[in-house]
């Protein structure tokens, strides 16, 4: 039983980490579209 | 301070600095696959790639790279957990160790997979030789190689132009293991065996002591684990006393060798960075910033530990240096090493992400405790672990150029890449998740009666023990302050969570930054570009690390070591 609880915690951690990857990707827009940054000088 | 102690420290610094350039060059060639390999190594590498179905020429986007890393590590946690739970049925178990409890097994599995090596157990009384070799040692290699891989991926982000890929995780992991970790470990293992560290699969030996008692001498495959424990930044001891145990660290020479191994990858990686971005001065600037911060902490720790301990002086203890003793605060220290090597070891192990100890940090003076805590709270950017130190200080470099850009009203640039909103957001995310984790969980533990019951001390020192545990866990250091009974379900599970968050919540934004930078074009340096290879930038970088990293924790430090220091007058 305790092993199942630990396994559930691990799966939860993995799911959280995958969600975190997607959150970072969506915040930066990277991996979803071409980066639009330019070299314009100020 | 005495001459012998100062000479030890200067010698150590000189050897590390002398190795930065040659090893940095070797690492760059090994990781980029441009090194001339002996035929046998090339065959091993090719064979491993074929076996795993990996095309070494196929590159990955940062998302694919991060996903591969995550899957690899979660599988590693599951395997190490299963190994500990079933060790009673597995071979190489002459002491008949039984299954590790579920919460401790999870804590240990997360600890070694995340390059932390926090140990809520004593190795000689908990783990079989098979668990030590196939579990702990293997994960030490893998977690160290992963840190190197992530750092190199970030460096590629700076060095590449207008591409969507940052390398191949499997290739980087294989090369870091095969060409960097393994060769150094083989040499280090032989040196440790030569100095008297055991390497045996025999059962523990019973001996009669001089006063007629009986004692068990724990043995095991210690030397091979010792080498990777130090080199990989894992730091988890084969024995409970870690490098204070005479079988892990038998002589003053092994003490120096062990400290050298702790820095042997992190320091040269700054030069690897410089070479890969095409300007070695950039690497030397990072190394200079690390060296200044290390020296500042070491001077404080060494002077505090060589001064007499006021609490012992009241008992009339002779603490003066003389021919028979090194003098100073010898509480919790091995007489073989004295305060000089203990202070140096403690500073090195907390500045890096290693966490091995040769003395009990709980017995250090409050000012020393403040330095050790601060080293970890800076996210271990002072050399740091293999790779983690480099990507950690690069995060502070991004913030430093961002602040400099704000001051002069220009878009910040670093190494020809514009630092824009995405990079700054990801950098702040990586830098804030560790403090949030440390302070958040420590705050909860500080008000839970069951958690406080595990502390050996009350007042500021007790709070320092608590704060140290979560700082060590979330910053992936793994050293223990001692004085805390951490083998309870609460500490095992919350520390496992802190280690998991402390590793992956940093690594993922770092890979994201690598991806966004690699996709950018290079901007030619102009008259308004901030030079990032000179003393001005080194000062800016140190200031940023201390202000952004250190001040976040000031209030917590004020309740612990600072209050203890002031209370002692």
């Amino acid at each position: 039983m305790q092993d199942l609880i630990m396994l559930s915690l691990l799966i939860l951690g993995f799911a959280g980490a995958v969600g975190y990857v997607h959150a970072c990707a969506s915040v930066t827009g990277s991996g979803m579209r071409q980066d639009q940054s330019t070299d314009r000088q100020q | 301070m005495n001459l012998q102690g100062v000479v030890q420290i200067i010698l150590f610094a000189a050897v590390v600095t002398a190795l930065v350039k040659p090893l940095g060059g070797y690492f760059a060639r090994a990781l980029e696959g441009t090194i001339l390999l002996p035929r046998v190594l090339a065959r091993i590498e090719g064979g491993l790639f074929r076996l795993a179905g990996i095309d070494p020429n196929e590159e990955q986007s940062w998302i694919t790279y991060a996903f591969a890393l995550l899957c690899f590590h979660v599988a590693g946690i599951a395997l190490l957990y299963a190994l500990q739970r079933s060790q009673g049925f597995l071979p190489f178990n002459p002491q008949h160790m039984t299954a590790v409890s579920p919460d401790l097994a999870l804590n240990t599995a997360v600890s070694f997979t995340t390059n932390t090596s926090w140990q809520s157990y004593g190795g000689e009384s908990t783990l079989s030789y098979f668990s030590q070799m196939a579990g702990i040692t293997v994960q030490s290699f893998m977690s160290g190689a992963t840190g190197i891989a992530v750092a190199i991926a970030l460096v590629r982000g700076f060095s590449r132009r207008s591409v969507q890929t940052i390398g191949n995780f499997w290739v980087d992991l294989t090369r870091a293991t095969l060409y960097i970790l393994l060769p150094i470990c083989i040499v280090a293992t032989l040196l440790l065996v030569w100095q008297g560290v055991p390497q045996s699969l025999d059962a523990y030996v019973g001996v009669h002591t001089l006063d007629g008692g009986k004692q068990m001498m724990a043995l095991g495959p210690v030397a091979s684990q010792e080498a990777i424990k130090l080199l990989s930044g894992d730091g988890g001891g084969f024995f409970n006393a870690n490098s204070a145990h005479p079988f892990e660290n038998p002589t003053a020479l092994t003490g120096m060798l062990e400290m050298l191994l702790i820095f042997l990858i992190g320091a040269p990686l700054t030069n690897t960075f410089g070479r890969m971005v095409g300007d070695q001065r950039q690497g030397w600037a990072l190394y200079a910033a690390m060296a200044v911060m290390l020296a500042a902490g070491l001077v404080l720790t060494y002077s505090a530990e060589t001064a007499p301990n006021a609490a012992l002086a009241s008992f009339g203890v002779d603490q003066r240096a003389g021919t028979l003793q090194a003098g100073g605060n010898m509480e919790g220290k091995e007489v073989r090493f004295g305060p000089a090597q203990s202070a140096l070891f403690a500073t090195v192990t907390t500045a890096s992400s290693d966490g091995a100890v040769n003395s009990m940090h709980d017995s250090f003076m409050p000012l020393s405790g403040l330095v050790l805590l601060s080293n970890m709270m800076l996210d271990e950017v002072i050399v740091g672990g293999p790779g983690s130190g480099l990507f950690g200080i690069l995060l502070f470099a991004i913030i430093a150029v961002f602040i400099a850009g704000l001051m002069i009203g220009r878009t910040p640039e670093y190494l020809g890449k514009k630092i824009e909103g995405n990079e700054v957001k990801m950098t702040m995310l990586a830098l804030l998740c560790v403090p949030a984790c440390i302070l958040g969980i420590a705050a909860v533990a500080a008000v839970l009666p069951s958690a406080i019951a595990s502390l050996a001390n009350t007042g500021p020192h007790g709070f320092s023990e608590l704060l140290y545990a979560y700082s060590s866990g979330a910053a992936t250091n793994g050293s223990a302050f001692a004085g805390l009974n951490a083998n309870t379900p609460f500490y095992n599970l919350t520390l496992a969570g802190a280690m998991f968050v402390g590793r992956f919540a940093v690594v993922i934004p770092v890979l994201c930054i690598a991806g966004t930078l690699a996709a950018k074009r290079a901007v030619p340096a102009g008259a308004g570009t901030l030079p990032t290879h000179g003393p001005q930038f080194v000062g800016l970088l140190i200031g940023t690390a201390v202000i952004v990293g250190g001040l976040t924790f000031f209030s917590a430090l004020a309740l612990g070591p600072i209050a203890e220091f002031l209370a002692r007058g």
Side-chain angles (χ1 to χ4, degrees):
Chain A
M1 181 61 189
Q2 282 188 317
D3 287 322
L4 281 178
I5 295 171
M6 298 304 148
L7 182 65
S8 308
L9 286 174
L10 181 58
I11 292 169
L12 200 65
F14 179 64
V18 171
Y20 189 62
V21 171
H22 282 282
C24 289
S26 55
V27 166
T28 58
S30 55
M32 295 174 179
R33 61 176 170 77
Q34 192 75 16
D35 193 280
Q36 298 298 311
S37 67
T38 63
D39 291 337
R40 59 181 183 275
Q41 298 282 334
Q42 289 191 351
Chain B
M1 291 194 187
N2 59 41
L3 182 67
Q4 195 185 17
V6 174
V7 167
Q8 269 189 68
I9 291 168
I10 292 172
L11 184 68
F12 172 74
V15 174
V16 171
T17 306
L19 288 171
V20 164
K21 196 170 179 181
L23 281 179
Y26 171 74
F27 292 171
R29 290 192 297 277
L31 291 163
E32 289 299 75
T34 55
I35 196 167
L36 285 174
L37 295 173
R39 189 169 291 180
V40 62
L41 282 179
R43 280 187 180 172
I44 292 173
E45 182 188 294
L48 285 171
F49 289 152
R50 273 194 299 279
L51 193 69
I54 294 162
D55 177 1
N57 297 316
E58 189 181 310
E59 295 245 328
Q60 297 170 326
S61 70
W62 82 263
I63 294 180
T64 316
Y65 200 103
F67 193 66
L69 184 150
L70 273 178
C71 289
F72 181 70
H73 282 80
V74 169
I77 294 171
L79 271 174
L80 184 50
Y81 179 86
L83 212 152
Q84 293 172 85
R85 294 287 291 144
S86 56
Q87 68 175 1
F89 307 105
L90 295 171
F92 301 112
N93 188 8
Q95 297 310 122
H96 307 291
M97 301 290 183
T98 53
V100 179
S101 69
D103 55 307
L104 178 58
L106 184 70
N107 179 287
T108 307
V110 174
S111 174
F112 282 88
T113 313
T114 57
N115 200 241
T116 310
S117 77
W118 173 268
Q119 293 173 291
S120 293
Y121 65 92
E124 66 270 50
S125 56
T126 311
L127 294 182
S128 69
Y129 291 166
F130 191 74
S131 297
Q132 297 269 28
M133 291 187 295
I136 302 297
T137 306
V138 169
Q139 288 307 326
S140 296
F141 272 100
M142 295 300 103
S143 60
T146 300
I148 298 172
V150 172
I152 292 305
L154 180 59
V155 176
R156 288 189 191 117
F158 286 108
S159 63
R160 293 183 173 184
R161 309 280 184 263
S162 307
V163 295
Q164 297 295 321
T165 58
I166 57 169
N168 183 314
F169 173 70
W170 307 111
V171 173
D172 292 340
L173 185 81
T174 307
R175 288 182 178 157
T177 308
L178 209 54
Y179 307 135
I180 296 178
L181 297 177
L182 263 175
I184 300 175
C185 271
I186 290 170
V187 176
T189 302
L190 293 173
L191 288 173
L192 289 168
V193 169
W194 166 56
Q195 284 292 297
V197 178
Q199 181 71 18
S200 165
L201 293 175
D202 289 343
Y204 297 175
V205 178
V207 293
H208 292 283
T209 60
L210 290 174
D211 61 359
K214 235 186 142 180
Q215 188 181 335
M216 290 300 284
M217 302 287 282
L219 294 172
V222 186
S224 54
Q225 187 172 319
E226 192 69 13
I228 189 63
K229 156 195 139 178
L230 299 152
L231 190 68
S232 72
D234 235 334
F238 194 94
F239 303 115
N240 195 25
N242 209 295
S243 285
H245 194 294
F247 282 178
E248 284 201 33
N249 189 5
T251 64
L253 180 63
T254 55
M256 291 296 273
L257 175 68
E258 293 194 0
M259 286 186 285
L260 185 64
L261 284 171
I262 291 174
F263 274 2
L264 204 56
I265 294 182
L269 272 177
T270 54
N271 185 264
T272 306
F273 161 74
R275 287 172 191 266
M276 287 178 68
V277 298
D279 182 0
Q280 288 190 46
R281 294 174 305 172
Q282 302 290 342
W284 286 115
L286 298 186
Y287 183 72
M290 292 173 173
V292 169
M293 288 190 278
L294 181 78
L298 182 58
V299 166
L300 264 180
T301 310
Y302 185 41
S303 40
E305 295 310 309
T306 46
N309 184 337
L312 292 177
S314 62
F315 292 105
V317 177
D318 180 10
Q319 299 181 75
R320 288 169 301 180
T323 49
L324 294 177
Q325 62 176 16
N329 174 33
M330 284 301 290
E331 158 74 21
K333 293 186 181 62
E334 264 284 349
V335 288
R336 291 172 296 150
F337 308 129
Q341 206 175 98
S342 301
L344 181 60
F345 202 111
T347 311
V348 163
T349 201
T350 49
S352 73
S353 78
D354 195 68
V357 295
N358 77 344
S359 54
M360 297 302 109
H361 294 182
D362 198 32
S363 300
F364 275 44
M365 302 301 282
L367 265 186
S368 309
L370 174 69
V371 171
L372 307 185
L373 271 165
S374 304
N375 281 347
M376 293 188 293
M377 288 166 168
L378 284 178
D379 219 5
E380 292 166 348
V381 296
I382 308 171
V383 179
S388 61
L390 179 61
F391 65 66
I393 201 146
L394 284 172
L395 292 177
F396 280 117
I398 288 172
I399 296 297
V401 295
F402 175 66
I403 292 170
L406 286 180
M407 287 194 286
I408 58 170
R410 277 183 59 91
T411 303
E413 297 161 20
Y414 187 44
L415 303 169
K417 293 291 178 87
K418 280 186 181 296
I419 304 299
E420 295 173 296
N422 285 340
E423 291 79 38
V424 176
K425 280 180 210 164
M426 288 300 109
T427 303
M428 288 315 298
L429 187 63
L431 290 177
L432 288 177
C433 62
V434 173
C437 194
I438 294 171
L439 297 174
I441 307 178
V444 172
V447 294
L448 274 181
S450 57
I452 296 169
S454 287
L455 295 171
N457 291 279
T458 54
H461 197 75
F463 182 71
S464 294
E465 288 169 351
L466 191 65
L467 188 64
Y468 194 102
Y470 289 107
S471 302
S472 178
T476 70
N477 183 272
S479 67
F481 206 45
L484 173 71
N485 171 27
N487 190 13
T488 65
F490 174 81
Y491 280 109
N492 278 335
L493 295 180
T494 53
L495 280 165
M499 293 184 279
F500 193 89
V501 171
R503 180 68 161 180
F504 298 114
V506 176
V507 159
I508 290 167
V510 166
L511 291 174
C512 182
I513 295 166
T516 59
L517 287 175
K520 293 186 180 196
R521 284 177 277 174
V523 186
T529 302
L530 174 74
T532 51
H533 56 262
Q536 183 192 29
F537 180 71
V538 172
L540 183 65
L541 183 55
I542 294 170
T544 307
V546 172
I547 293 167
V548 176
L551 286 189
T552 312
F553 294 97
F554 182 76
S555 51
L557 289 169
L559 293 173
I562 295 175
E564 192 182 354
F565 173 72
L566 294 175
R568 289 188 174 203

